[in-house]
Amino acid sequence: MTAVVIAARELRARTRFFLLCSAFAVLPFLAALLSAARGDASTVIAMIGGSLALVMAFGSAVTLGANAVGHELGERRLSFYFARPISPAALWAGKACASAAVFLGAFAIIAVPAMLGAWDVWFNVWPVPFLVKACAIVIVTFLLAHALGTMIRSRSALIALDFLLAVVVLGIGAAALYPLLVAHAVQDAGAIAVACAIGIIVILAVAPVWQLANGRTDARRNHVAFARAFWPPLFVLVLAAAAYAWWIVSASPLDFTRVALLDMSPTGEWMLATGVAPGRGDYQPTLIANVRDGRFRRLAAPPYYGIAYARDGQTMAWMQPSGPSFDAPRELFVLHLADRRARPLATGIRVDGVPHFTLSDDGTRVAIADARTLAVHDLAAARLVASVPVSTFTTTSLFFATPDVVRLVGVDVGGTAGLRVSELDLRTRELRTTGELHAPVAPGIRASSDGSRLLVNTPLRVLDGRTAAVVADPRITAAQYSRAMLADGSFVVVTGAAKNARLSTFDANGAPGVEVVLPGVVRAGVSAELPAHRLVLTSYTPGQFAATGKGTRVFVVDLQRGVIEHVIDGVRCPIGSEWNGADPRARIVPAGMPLPAVDEAGKLILVDPATGARRAFPS
Amino acid sequence: MSDARPDIELSHVGIRYGRRVAVDDINLRVARGSVYALLGRNGAGKSSLVRALLGQLQPQHGSIALFGEDVWRRRAQLMERVGVVAEETDAPPEMRVRDLGRFCAKLYARWDAAAYDARIARFEIEPLARYGELSKGQRKQVSLALALASSPQLLVLDDPTLGLDVVARKALFDEVIVDLADRGITVFIATHDLAATESIADRVGILRGGRLVLDEEVETLKARFRRIRVADPPAALAHANLRTTAVRQWGGGTEAVVSNYDDLALAKLGNVAEAAAMSLEDIFIAVAGEAEGGQS
């Protein structure tokens, strides 16, 4: 009741302001009358009316925020209220509510006539969500103006402390949100930001009660009391937000309930998993984990632009946006897997567009091809080794044919250029075309382990890895669903059947070998090549994104004998390089190395291809 | 002092502003129905003490109770029973005199609107005048009218006559005296106006450097203070066990203010020329102004 009495007094004191607003409400109509564009009078009314209303609302919010309490506090007239039976809560509520009525009333007085006068265009010019946000911002502006007014009016050294604390709070907030934004967890970041904003508004709205209850008529004590009511809860809020953000990004391999993409290093020692963990919103944890000992490192973001491993398995590289915006230039990151304490290392190498990149076999160099150039960097020395212009292709595969030669295989999918093989000699820094195939080629180049053979599709052909000359043309007529070149240059094709897919092998010259029926599956892809001509295949359902092993079947096939050694149900092994590595060369997973997989529950597991046994990861 | 619970009770109150001590360890009780005058020079700590007394400033030490309740914690409730005339006129300047009354009427359960209007009329203040447009004296009068219209049990006046001319001072104090006679409210006055205070105060306290150096019934105080003139040297006063201040040479003898005057002690001095009663103002000057250089 007391608050109402105070609010009524405050409103009565601002009667002239309402009259001024009423005068301003006429201006949009006058402007429409005087405007040359009379045919568009509604737009003029809406534009001027809305703008004036917002300006008056913002202006009055700032003024009232700084002065509703601060003016009387500064002039030592707040004692008038404190000498009367008025509680601090009633005093603040009365003044704040009256202020809100003033600045929202000012908006309404100017905006409503303009809205009615320009009803046909008003909501196009000023959409309701925009106006709601604007009103919210006006309220926050009022509260912030009060906070700043209280601080500044005290004229004490505490202002410097406030500034310092504000910087710390902003720093904590930015540090909390940055990992989420880099990981493109926009919903998570947005939810935290909105929760913090609501919390800050509540703190800003409540802190003045504490301020007046404890500071009362003294400006400096008001400042101290406000600071005590404002900063501690704000720190609790921001630290809680930071803790939640930290929890989101601290997922471990055990937390996965779906693994969207799974990959393994050339030596099979490491697996890269991106998926979903419960309670973490749209954040997708991305972990590189050692299959032997379970240790893992987190990547800041899923490697949307592909991943590259050195052939020795000791180094991996990937691209991620260099800032929280998805449109930021991509930066190359490197992780030295052999170093147990190594952290992802930003190289400072940035590119625009969608790059293709590969590491040298020893991981000391990286070759990056974007739409215009092929550049090779020495990672250890952090210097550019060579940079040459290249033609634009739809897809590009590249690898270090030798430590000093980068081979580039460009495919013009659907175009007339077909396929072109080029080599960049790092000693001469010269890019030379070594071969071309002037025929349609589908994306998805595969190569033998040494790069001497290329497997291309539509139609399926084996090409010389350097000259692109056709080495074999097996002329397969059955519908193929997947294919893979093996390390020795031989290749396999999975063709479809009504219920059972069929695996066919071919030698390096395209001569057919054995055929193996893969029972109970329609389609399957090659997951891994094992020593002694053994192959691991995983079934898949077309058009269905498998994030778990539910309904999936893994086969371990002996290609020499043409028999299936093991069938493992309810398990999904990665098919090919799920993160689209640019190096097309085949690799053999060493003997005894378990394969990464996902079980029916979406959990990471390991599969022993020798026995078909599965075990939890980390065990 | 009455044995009943005092309307005002300060216990070991200390107030600091940073390192500066404004009020130091003050104990004070004001009995119900009495008039207490707190005297002190500028900067003695009067206003700080009044602000603390009204629950507007929290002392760093000690406690303050009005009507037996902690004023810091129960200020809003206690102010229902307290009328205040602040040192600085603090009402919103844009408000009209009439509206101030209406505003306050909604805040107090025992608001006497007729009394407010009558006083405003008696002070010859235009009800539609804005508070900020009034003279300083008129603003004080409006403040007093507001304070008394709330039918207070305790009236706190913080330097109510500061900056007022003689006529305005008299009108203001006359109003207080009338109300005192009518209702017997407790009054606490912090003031420089010793002449006006002397006529209405039952008890007086003197603040010096933040400390309450004197807290006594006015009559007792006036009875034990005398300005004496003797033909003897100053040492003779000490031999007679008289506490003196403001000692100075007077012809061949001594003039001094005696703070423990009694006839027997004076009789020990053979050559008393004069023993004059002192006004409250004289006592205040002796205690607050000159005592720092005096003897005891």
Side-chain angles (χ1 to χ4, degrees), chain A residues 1-306:
Chain A
M1 183 61 195
T2 311
V4 175
V5 174
I6 293 168
R9 194 210 80 73
E10 296 283 323
L11 285 174
R12 204 169 293 124
R14 285 162 180 84
T15 311
R16 286 181 186 173
F17 179 73
F18 288 124
L19 292 173
L20 179 69
C21 290
S22 303
F24 277 14
V26 179
L27 290 180
F29 297 92
L30 284 177
L33 281 174
L34 299 173
S35 169
R38 287 193 184 176
D40 203 13
S42 293
T43 303
V44 172
I45 292 169
M47 286 296 296
I48 294 178
S51 302
L52 264 177
L54 285 174
V55 166
M56 290 300 278
F58 270 104
S60 54
V62 170
T63 308
L64 289 169
N67 293 305
V69 170
H71 183 64
E72 287 171 315
L73 185 62
E75 295 202 337
R76 298 182 172 217
R77 284 196 283 106
L78 216 51
S79 55
F80 175 75
Y81 298 98
F82 279 101
R84 287 173 170 75
I86 297 171
S87 68
L91 179 57
W92 170 245
K95 284 181 171 284
C97 290
S99 300
V102 169
F103 55 71
L104 295 178
F107 179 83
I109 288 170
I110 300 171
V112 169
M115 183 180 73
L116 296 175
W119 185 260
D120 49 336
V121 298
W122 176 267
F123 292 104
N124 294 329
V125 178
W126 306 106
V128 172
F130 172 83
L131 293 177
V132 170
K133 283 178 192 168
C135 286
I137 291 170
V138 167
I139 292 170
V140 173
T141 302
F142 166 77
L143 295 170
L144 277 176
H146 168 78
L148 288 172
T150 300
M151 292 169 182
I152 292 167
R153 276 198 167 86
S154 81
R155 297 176 186 173
S156 73
L158 275 175
I159 297 170
L161 182 62
D162 287 323
F163 180 76
L164 182 67
L165 293 174
V167 170
V168 172
V169 165
L170 286 174
I172 293 171
L177 293 180
Y178 187 82
L180 295 175
L181 293 172
V182 166
H184 312 300
V186 180
Q187 290 175 11
D188 282 343
I192 289 175
V194 168
C196 283
I198 291 171
I200 290 169
I201 291 171
V202 170
I203 293 169
L204 279 170
V206 172
V209 177
W210 182 271
Q211 168 199 336
L212 291 171
N214 292 278
R216 303 203 179 173
T217 58
D218 184 275
R220 191 163 296 189
R221 290 180 192 217
N222 265 262
H223 184 178
V224 172
F226 182 86
R228 283 182 177 165
F230 180 69
W231 291 116
L234 188 61
F235 266 89
V236 169
L237 177 74
V238 174
L239 288 174
Y244 179 55
W246 176 85
W247 177 80
I248 288 175
V249 300
S250 64
S252 77
L254 287 170
D255 292 321
F256 281 112
T257 52
R258 293 177 70 197
V259 177
L261 292 163
L262 191 59
D263 208 353
M264 69 177 113
S265 67
T267 59
E269 192 177 359
W270 295 87
M271 69 161 105
L272 179 69
T274 294
V276 174
R280 288 174 166 84
D282 63 340
Y283 175 76
Q284 296 186 60
T286 301
L287 310 172
I288 177 88
N290 189 290
V291 299
R292 289 185 190 278
D293 58 19
R295 68 191 152 98
F296 65 92
R297 290 276 182 275
R298 296 186 186 90
L299 271 59
Y304 292 116
Y305 302 100

Side-chain angles (χ1 to χ4, degrees), chain A residues 442-466:
Chain A
I445 302 288
R446 305 281 185 271
S448 59
S449 173
D450 59 3
S452 63
R453 290 283 189 276
L454 299 178
L455 183 68
V456 298
N457 195 28
T458 317
L460 192 75
R461 279 167 292 189
V462 177
L463 308 180
D464 182 274
R466 192 158 185 270

Side-chain angles (χ1 to χ4, degrees), chain B residues 86-140:
Chain B
E87 177 184 5
E88 294 174 36
T89 49
D90 54 7
E94 76 281 1
M95 283 187 82
R96 298 183 192 282
V97 172
R98 180 195 61 191
D99 294 339
L100 274 168
R102 289 178 179 174
F103 173 71
C104 291
K106 294 169 186 165
L107 300 174
Y108 292 93
R110 295 180 299 166
W111 183 260
D112 187 344
Y116 176 75
D117 293 340
R119 281 197 184 89
I120 293 301
R122 200 152 58 237
F123 291 143
E124 298 178 347
I125 296 171
E126 171 56 48
L128 293 178
R130 294 188 189 277
Y131 184 76
E133 296 166 352
L134 300 176
S135 70
K136 196 165 188 176
Q138 287 176 314
R139 289 204 289 264
K140 290 278 187 182

Side-chain angles (χ1 to χ4, degrees), chain A residues 463-480:
Chain A
L463 308 180
D464 182 274
R466 192 158 185 270
T467 64
V470 177
V471 174
D473 188 358
R475 298 184 185 279
I476 295 170
T477 54
Q480 331 156 19

